Amino acid sequence: MHGFSYQNGALYCEDVELDGLAEEYGTPLYVYSAGTIVDHFTRLDAALSGIDHEIAYAVKANSNLSVLRLLATKGAGFDIVSGGELFRVIKAGGDPAHCTFAGVGKTREEIVYALEQGIYSFNVESEEELRYLNQVAGELGVVAPAAVRVNPNVDAKTHKYISTGKSENKFGVDFEAIPGLYERASKELSHIRLRGLQMHIGSQLTSVAPFIEAVEKVAPMVRDLKERYGIEFWSIGGGIGIVYHGSLESGTPDWWETKSEEERPLTIEKYGQELVPRLKGLGVKILLEPGRYVVGNAGVLVTRCLYEKKGSAKTFKIVDAGMNDLIRPALYEGHHEIVPLSEPKSGERVKVDVVGPICESGDFFCQDRALPDFQPGDRVALMSAGAYGFVMASNYNSRPLPAEILVEGDTATLVRKRQTLDDLIEGEL
Ligand SMILES: *Cc1c(COP(=O)(O)O)cnc(C)c1O
């Protein structure tokens, strides 16, 4: 379920018409479907129902307080990568005892804050960090629960900027170095409780094969660590890919489809079918850290066309959203379907570049793409913008951050106000 569909020629999020929202709240505007978020969370939970498991939603994908609150009420734990994200989770009513803390560069302040809040586990990425965690915990007179992130050296076959499980990536500890590290930690680090093992091989994986490879490679290590040190959990990370090319609940109109051969949907049911048997019987709790899968297809960025500019080589549609609002195309060559809010009446298409107002040539949402024609004043939706969208937005070019709306059924709630010009200079002296 993606929650977005045409009804009587107008694009809706659940039972709310997007054009009306844009009229009321302006553009650019992020709109999220609560039903889709809950549906994805629930389906993943069901796919893992055969084993003792917990879903720790990766907060960095979309950290709006209302999104976190929604997931907390459904029983989600949270995977955080900063003290700021822990603060958000707590503000949203999430339980720190169900938080895991990832990341290669935790600061002393973040470690102290997380220890005080009583998080479930620090997922540590180097021996140096583990020793420092031991030292800080010792100074506070507490014991820090920890897991080490193993780098299984498996190719996730995804974009190089979001691949994390190869030896040349900065993440985790080499597979071969794990047994020695746990042995030294158990003997020397009296303020560490070795609670689990963690891995995360990359993001936007569109095939189950790399997950299988990593799970099969690491499972014997989990057995061994449980036997020797009594670890309780194994986090197999996030990374489940979503479909960015063509996906509307009401079916995909043929003018829209730009199906790519390399992007095949990895269904959550298949993920569960393949992994559950391989995870069963290990005797540890399995943690998952999905971000994109939960929220990616649950959000759109609505933008308005300002100008059409016909150059000698190309036609540009200039819209009021820019790479500062949604950076995925510029940063990862990310694809977003571009859909008019008013359903096109004919199958006619024009080849255009859709670009933002930012003074960067990388500020585009598509290049040479055949789209239904839209004109200045018309609004379009950049689909599948719920993950790594607003969270990566910046004030570059001194542009206020867009507003965010959460839709539940026929109710739309403003969950973040659009920034004002005064907000832009807040804090400057
Ligand atoms: C980013 C991240 C995730 C979530 O990745 P998705 O591809 O959004 O599922 C999970 N775990 C860790 C450690 C991460 O850094």
Side-chain angles (χ1 to χ4, degrees):
M1 171 190 162
H2 289 166
F4 297 90
S5 60
Y6 284 115
Q7 298 175 28
N8 301 321
L11 192 62
Y12 275 64
C13 173
E14 301 193 19
D15 300 325
V16 176
E17 192 187 341
L18 288 173
D19 226 17
L21 285 179
E23 200 64 56
E24 184 170 354
Y25 297 101
T27 50
L29 183 70
Y30 275 98
V31 183
Y32 310 123
S33 156
T36 307
I37 294 172
V38 171
D39 176 62
H40 288 179
F41 178 79
T42 310
R43 276 174 53 198
L44 183 54
D45 206 31
L48 273 289
S49 62
I51 47 174
D52 181 19
H53 71 279
E54 178 161 339
I55 298 175
Y57 167 67
V59 173
K60 73 176 190 283
N62 185 326
S63 59
N64 185 286
L65 289 177
S66 296
V67 170
L68 300 182
R69 194 174 299 121
L70 180 67
L71 287 165
T73 61
K74 299 297 164 194
F78 296 95
D79 187 60
I80 58 170
V81 292
S82 71
E85 287 191 350
L86 178 55
F87 178 75
R88 281 182 174 278
V89 167
I90 293 167
K91 284 284 175 199
D95 183 358
H98 289 267
C99 282
T100 49
F101 192 168
V104 296
K106 303 175 190 74
T107 65
R108 181 186 173 88
E109 292 72 23
E110 290 176 318
I111 291 171
V112 169
Y113 178 45
L115 281 171
E116 285 169 354
Q117 297 301 324
I119 65 164
Y120 179 69
S121 178
F122 289 85
N123 292 343
V124 166
E125 305 228 12
S126 63
E127 178 157 357
E128 292 76 3
E129 184 193 336
L130 191 62
R131 290 186 180 277
Y132 188 63
L133 177 62
N134 179 67
Q135 180 193 321
V136 176
E139 288 167 23
L140 269 62
V142 296
V143 172
V148 177
R149 176 171 179 172
V150 55
N151 184 326
N153 195 25
V154 165
D155 189 352
K157 300 197 169 59
T158 184
H159 191 275
K160 60 180 192 279
Y161 285 5
I162 48 176
S163 176
T164 56
K166 289 281 282 174
S167 300
E168 54 267 36
N169 299 130
K170 72 177 176 184
F171 299 99
V173 170
D174 283 340
F175 181 79
E176 293 74 19
I178 291 285
L181 176 53
Y182 275 70
E183 187 57 24
R184 284 192 296 285
S186 74
K187 293 218 173 84
E188 300 167 23
L189 306 181
S190 57
H191 291 276
I192 295 291
R193 169 179 169 207
L194 292 169
R195 194 166 204 178
L197 184 73
Q198 195 266 352
M199 67 184 195
H200 172 67
I201 58 174
S203 197
Q204 184 53 16
L205 274 69
T206 50
S207 139
V208 76
F211 289 116
I212 294 174
E213 191 184 342
V215 162
E216 288 188 338
K217 183 166 181 185
V218 175
M221 178 177 272
V222 172
R223 265 182 220 285
D224 194 55
L225 295 175
K226 177 177 156 61
E227 209 160 281
R228 285 175 200 268
Y229 314 108
I231 66 166
E232 295 166 15
F233 79 90
W234 178 19
S235 173
I236 62 169
I240 302 161
I242 63 167
V243 180
Y244 281 100
H245 293 79
S247 48
L248 264 193
E249 214 189 328
S250 55
T252 308
D254 55 39
W255 50 262
W256 180 18
E257 190 98 335
T258 53
K259 219 173 231 152
S260 129
E261 270 308 300
E262 67 264 24
E263 189 181 53
R264 293 209 181 79
L266 163 66
T267 69
I268 208 58
E269 290 72 23
K270 183 165 172 78
Y271 177 86
Q273 278 159 19
E274 293 287 350
L275 295 186
V276 165
R278 293 174 165 90
L279 296 165
K280 230 181 182 143
L282 288 171
V284 294
K285 184 198 270 276
I286 300 300
L287 260 61
L288 272 91
E289 305 162 1
R292 190 188 311 268
Y293 171 73
V294 178
V295 291
N297 285 136
V300 298
L301 176 60
V302 178
T303 181
R304 192 167 61 94
C305 181
L306 298 171
Y307 302 101
E308 179 181 68
K309 175 169 160 173
K310 285 196 161 128
S312 57
K314 285 184 173 221
T315 297
F316 298 97
K317 302 278 188 184
I318 301 165
V319 297
D320 68 358
M323 64 187 283
N324 73 297
D325 302 301
L326 177 64
I327 204 174
R328 291 191 66 262
L331 188 60
Y332 310 122
E333 303 166 307
H335 177 99
H336 292 273
E337 293 289 343
I338 300 173
V339 176
L341 297 198
S342 301
E343 189 168 18
K345 289 185 181 62
S346 77
E348 218 174 293
R349 299 183 188 203
V350 288
K351 196 178 258 194
V352 295
D353 285 20
V354 176
V355 304
I358 303 279
C359 305
E360 299 277 346
S361 293
D363 181 30
F364 58 81
F365 294 117
C366 72
Q367 291 180 305
D368 297 319
R369 195 185 295 175
L371 291 177
D373 202 18
F374 56 87
Q375 290 301 315
D378 292 346
R379 300 186 182 102
V380 297
L382 297 160
M383 304 302 289
S384 307
Y388 307 105
F390 183 90
V391 285
M392 287 194 182
S394 79
N395 288 126
Y396 186 41
N397 279 207
S398 286
R399 286 163 52 83
L401 293 176
E404 294 173 283
I405 303 278
L406 184 66
V407 172
E408 290 186 81
D410 59 5
T411 309
T413 310
L414 179 67
V415 293
R416 193 184 210 279
K417 285 192 243 176
R418 183 176 305 284
Q419 277 191 328
T420 64
L421 294 180
D422 281 323
D423 291 335
L424 285 179
I425 55 168
E426 169 84 26
E428 283 185 42
L429 303 173

